[in-house]
Amino acid sequence: MNSQNNQPTGARGSTASWLVPLLTLLAAVGFASCVWMVFVVTPVADVLFFNQKIFYFHVANAFMLFLSVFVCGFASVVFLKKRDGKWDDIAIAGAEVAVMFGLVVLITGSIWAKAAWDVWWKWEKRLTMSLLLWLVLVAYVIVRRFAGASADRLAAGLAVFGCVGIPFIYFMVEKSDNHPQAGKEGVVATLATDMKLAFWGSVLTFFFWFVALLISRIHSARAEREVRELRESAMDAGVL
Amino acid sequence: MNTLRCAITVLRKDLLVELRSREIIYTAIFFAALLVVIFTVALPRDGRVDDRMAPGMLWATIAFAGTIGLGRAFDREREDDTMRALLLSPAPRLAVFLGKAVAITMLILLVAAVATPLFGLFLTSARLLDHPLPLVVLLVLGALGFGVVGSVFAAALLRVRSRDVLLPIVLYPILIPLFFAATNATLALCVTDPNMAKAWYWISLLAGYDGVFLVLSLWLFESLVIE
């Protein structure tokens, strides 16, 4: 609560002021080239034909989902142990970005499942784990939104407990052999060169987008927290 | 040892307070009974219910009625700010947590002890009560996991706004693996050809869940509830 030497965020936000637009621009250019790569350059896949094209966005978004969940979980643990609001800002940003990427993953996944398996949803290992992960993060965002400022540590606890619970699902749900697998023999490793290029290009594009979103959200979370802390110290000092 | 003694004191205090008013016991049990009736009436049936539905109905009842009791138990500590007093007392915080968690576990077990025979009574085709030993083990493990995680978050929620609504929203995403394992263990027991190996596999998963979350709760309880 010591906010004596807080400067306004604008003065410190100078890195973000050029980094975020730059990353957004890179992501925009990358997205356009991805669409071109995916629909014009890459060949049509053997089994799934045109339906396979959603793979480039589905998997790239899934990577970003797990990355942002990791950011949120890690920042939450550090926040609980160090009680430094800086880490809380990162955790909020990670959670909100994860909710967004998760929504994209679930929607694109459903579309793909309908095309490949002829069902919108299947209670399979990875689907169940992604859904549960997403539910934890939605709960996190709801807590942050409605429980007031004093819920910061509660939310961090939710993120940590929630993430720890997910691996249990791995032992609980039956493995499905028709969800595309990862690894040496997996989907990504056995792609044709053009497809690989389009895939990793897409991952890079969404990574830029992820970092841009994360940084700008961290900055707005920090600004919110600093305003709150200034108000509190002003109230303590009897100014307000 | 001191921690254990303090935990028992906290537990005894909670039980004593509850036994004097019996408010949570009566409300939670009655709510559980209502849920049993609602579930058995609401689901489509032509004279009988598919016996494979019973485990899900049982654990949904335990989850809902348990949450009601859990919320009230901690609300009681908030009304006179006694939670703060408990945490300020020289008792180790871990003891406060352990005492609370055991008290909540007992409450949830009580709910389960009412709901399970009632379901057994209404849904005779589901052989819920055929294997009492594994059933009791799994009810205890399920209640323990619920009690541990529930106590951490109900205590942490005391300091925030709209805690009543948020309690299930925070708890259930964390508890879904537990309910998943518990429901499947119960299912393996209550079908017409019970699969004991499968039941014990799910029970061991429940035990693993309880162990992991007990350690995690002991590690984080203090940083979650102290202002």
Side-chain angles (χ1 to χ4, degrees):
Chain A
M1 287 301 139
N2 178 17
S3 41
Q4 244 64 14
N5 43 15
N6 271 353
Q7 299 161 9
T9 310
R12 279 202 257 143
S14 52
T15 326
S17 62
W18 59 266
L19 192 56
V20 171
L22 177 69
L23 287 166
T24 311
L25 186 71
L26 282 173
V29 173
F31 189 76
S33 2
C34 274
V35 170
W36 177 70
M37 284 289 288
V38 166
F39 289 103
V40 182
V41 179
T42 56
V44 172
D46 289 337
V47 185
L48 286 170
F49 306 112
F50 194 71
N51 294 328
Q52 179 263 358
K53 304 239 178 243
I54 204 167
F55 152 85
Y56 301 102
F57 294 133
H58 175 68
V59 181
N61 274 282
F63 282 5
M64 295 312 128
L65 166 66
F66 296 127
L67 199 58
S68 36
V69 169
F70 178 76
V71 167
C72 174
F74 181 76
S76 296
V77 174
V78 179
F79 173 62
L80 280 177
K81 285 294 143 187
K82 289 197 171 172
R83 299 223 182 171
D84 182 347
K86 211 167 61 186
W87 289 98
D88 188 40
D89 304 341
I90 301 177
I92 299 181
E96 288 186 6
V97 172
V99 167
M100 197 208 69
F101 281 114
L103 193 62
V104 176
V105 172
L106 292 173
I107 292 175
T108 54
S110 274
I111 297 173
W112 196 3
K114 181 68 184 161
W117 305 332
D118 201 28
V119 282
W120 293 106
W121 183 263
K122 210 185 228 183
W123 291 103
E124 176 262 7
K125 260 187 208 304
R126 242 175 294 179
L127 276 69
T128 314
M129 283 164 87
S130 310
L131 178 67
L132 189 50
L133 198 56
W134 191 70
L135 289 179
V136 168
L137 288 149
V138 172
Y140 180 100
V141 171
I142 290 180
V143 166
R144 295 316 297 248
R145 177 75 180 73
F146 297 111
S150 54
D152 47 0
R153 268 174 288 135
L154 166 71
L158 168 62
V160 177
F161 275 66
C163 291
V164 170
I166 306 294
F168 282 95
I169 296 292
Y170 188 84
F171 300 100
M172 296 184 176
V173 186
E174 273 168 49
K175 194 171 168 181
S176 122
D177 21 63
N178 47 15
H179 192 284
Q181 301 299 311
K184 259 201 186 112
E185 312 274 291
V187 178
V188 176
T190 52
L191 282 179
T193 321
D194 279 348
M195 290 174 159
K196 237 179 216 165
L197 200 65
F199 172 68
W200 289 110
S202 168
V203 170
L204 196 65
T205 297
F206 282 102
F207 180 70
F208 288 145
W209 183 223
F210 159 73
V211 179
L213 286 174
L214 192 73
I215 292 179
S216 43
R217 186 64 185 95
I218 289 173
H219 275 80
S220 71
R222 188 165 78 190
E224 282 165 28
R225 179 171 53 84
E226 283 175 355
V227 168
R228 201 170 61 230
E229 285 175 2
L230 277 176
R231 182 187 288 269
E232 274 166 14
S233 53
M235 273 159 117
D236 288 345
V239 181
L240 274 179
Chain B
M1 272 308 97
N2 182 35
T3 308
L4 204 61
R5 219 173 36 237
C6 290
I8 293 172
T9 313
V10 171
L11 171 65
R12 204 160 55 201
K13 175 214 73 123
D14 274 3
L15 294 183
L16 199 66
V17 170
E18 177 51 35
L19 284 177
R20 287 206 179 127
S21 71
R22 295 192 203 91
E23 177 198 10
I24 301 177
I25 296 178
Y26 287 148
T27 49
I29 286 180
F30 184 62
F31 186 55
L34 283 178
L35 285 169
V36 173
V37 174
I38 289 173
F39 276 127
T40 35
V41 168
L43 288 170
R45 67 211 164 114
D46 36 346
R48 63 202 176 90
V49 180
D50 184 343
D51 55 4
R52 279 170 304 174
M53 285 179 182
M57 288 150 72
L58 171 65
W59 283 97
T61 302
I62 294 175
F64 297 156
T67 310
I68 293 275
L70 175 67
R72 182 68 195 109
F74 278 84
D75 216 34
R76 189 181 274 164
E77 291 284 20
R78 195 186 58 87
E79 274 164 6
D80 298 314
D81 219 2
T82 43
M83 192 66 189
R84 189 194 298 263
L86 259 183
L87 292 171
L88 283 173
S89 75
R93 266 112 191 205
L94 285 188
V96 176
F97 165 68
L98 285 174
K100 287 266 163 213
V102 174
I104 297 296
T105 304
M106 289 167 80
L107 166 75
I108 293 164
L109 268 180
L110 188 72
V111 168
V114 173
T116 315
L118 277 181
F119 274 122
L121 190 72
F122 285 136
L123 312 173
T124 37
S125 61
R127 299 152 187 279
L128 266 178
L129 307 172
D130 276 11
H131 303 276
L133 176 71
L135 183 70
V136 168
V137 173
L138 94 90
L139 286 175
V140 169
L141 287 173
L144 181 67
F146 193 170
V148 165
V149 177
S151 306
V152 172
F153 284 94
L157 273 164
L158 287 181
R159 295 181 299 117
V160 309
R161 274 193 276 130
S162 45
R163 67 190 77 79
D164 301 335
V165 198
L166 289 177
L167 180 61
I169 287 185
V170 168
L171 268 188
Y172 293 165
I174 302 170
L175 288 175
I176 284 175
L178 175 114
F179 290 130
F180 203 106
T183 308
N184 277 291
T186 319
L187 181 64
L189 287 179
C190 82
V191 287
T192 34
D193 47 340
N195 184 340
M196 296 317 260
K198 212 169 167 188
W200 287 110
Y201 169 75
W202 287 107
I203 290 174
S204 68
L205 275 179
L206 263 183
Y209 179 97
D210 285 4
V212 167
F213 278 86
L214 188 61
V215 171
L216 197 62
S217 304
L218 291 172
W219 184 49
L220 289 180
F221 178 73
E222 208 166 335
S223 41
L224 281 173
V225 295
I226 308 298
E227 279 165 55

